[in-house]
């Protein structure tokens, strides 16, 4: 268990059950509490009931895709300042700009590299003092 991520709660939004299980396992090994959603609609409901330290959002979701889900989460009181980190296999500058336009803060690309994932989480949660739902959001998307 990693004390850096103690008391961190993340919503993992991932449609692929295998990816969901793998990412959840990796996060929980570091001491992160993880709730999961398989689609945008469920993620929106969950984000409306609970304030998360971060949301890891796959962009290719059934029904409401990740970009629109992020935009709707931003309208919730519980989601206004929550860091939303996009996950996608698409690696293009246009993608990063689009993620920013929809209110996302950062992105990690699939296949996910552990160093990149934890660097990004630390950037938006731990280093920013967001752990434990104490928010002061760092704006903008950062290419890694």
């Amino acid at each position: 268990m990693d004390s850096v991520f103690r008391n961190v709660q993340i919503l993992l939004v991932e449609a692929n059950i295998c990816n969901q299980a793998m990412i959840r396992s990796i996060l929980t090994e570091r001491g992160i509490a993880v709730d999961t959603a398989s689609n945008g609609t469920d993620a929106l409901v969950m984000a409306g009931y609970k304030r998360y330290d971060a949301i890891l959002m796959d962009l290719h979701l059934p029904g409401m895709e990740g970009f629109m889900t992020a935009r709707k989460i931003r309208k919730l009181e519980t989601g206004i300042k929550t860091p939303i980190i996009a996950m996608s296999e698409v690696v293009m500058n246009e993608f990063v700009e689009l993620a920013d336009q929809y209110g996302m803060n950062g992105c990690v690309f699939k296949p996910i590299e552990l160093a990149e994932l934890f660097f990004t989480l630390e950037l938006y949660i731990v280093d920013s003092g967001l752990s434990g739902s104490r928010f002061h959001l760092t704006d903008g998307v950062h290419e890694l």
Side-chain angles (χ1 to χ4, degrees), residues 82-100:
T82 303
I84 301 174
I85 300 164
M87 298 187 302
S88 180
E89 51 281 324
V90 178
V91 181
M92 301 182 330
N93 285 335
E94 294 83 15
F95 162 79
V96 174
E97 292 169 13
L98 193 57
D100 185 40

Side-chain angles (χ1 to χ4, degrees), residues 96-125:
V96 174
E97 292 169 13
L98 193 57
D100 185 40
Q101 290 172 13
Y102 278 88
M104 296 179 164
N105 302 92
C107 43
V108 292
F109 300 105
K110 295 178 181 178
I112 294 175
E113 294 186 23
L114 294 183
E116 179 184 9
L117 174 63
F118 288 108
F119 172 82
T120 303
L121 289 174
E122 205 165 328
L123 176 68
Y124 289 104
I125 299 171

Side-chain angles (χ1 to χ4, degrees), residues 7 13 15 17 19 24 28 30 32 56-57 61 63 72 77 79 83 86 96-97 110 117 121 126-127 144:
N7 300 320
V13 187
I17 298 302
N19 287 347
R24 181 187 182 101
T28 56
R30 298 287 295 264
I32 298 171
L56 288 172
M57 176 82 64
L61 299 170
K72 289 185 177 198
E77 182 180 332
V96 174
E97 292 169 13
K110 295 178 181 178
L117 174 63
L121 289 174
V126 179
D127 289 347
L144 300 175

Side-chain angles (χ1 to χ4, degrees), residues 42-83:
D42 290 348
L44 187 59
V45 169
M46 294 172 78
Y49 284 109
K50 185 174 182 179
R51 188 177 305 256
Y52 290 95
D53 294 303
I55 298 172
L56 288 172
M57 176 82 64
D58 184 23
L59 296 179
H60 305 288
L61 299 170
M64 184 177 11
E65 47 84 26
F67 288 123
M68 187 55 64
T69 303
R71 178 171 278 166
K72 289 185 177 198
I73 287 172
R74 285 287 177 238
K75 295 178 181 179
L76 300 171
E77 182 180 332
T78 54
I80 293 171
K81 295 182 178 181
T82 303

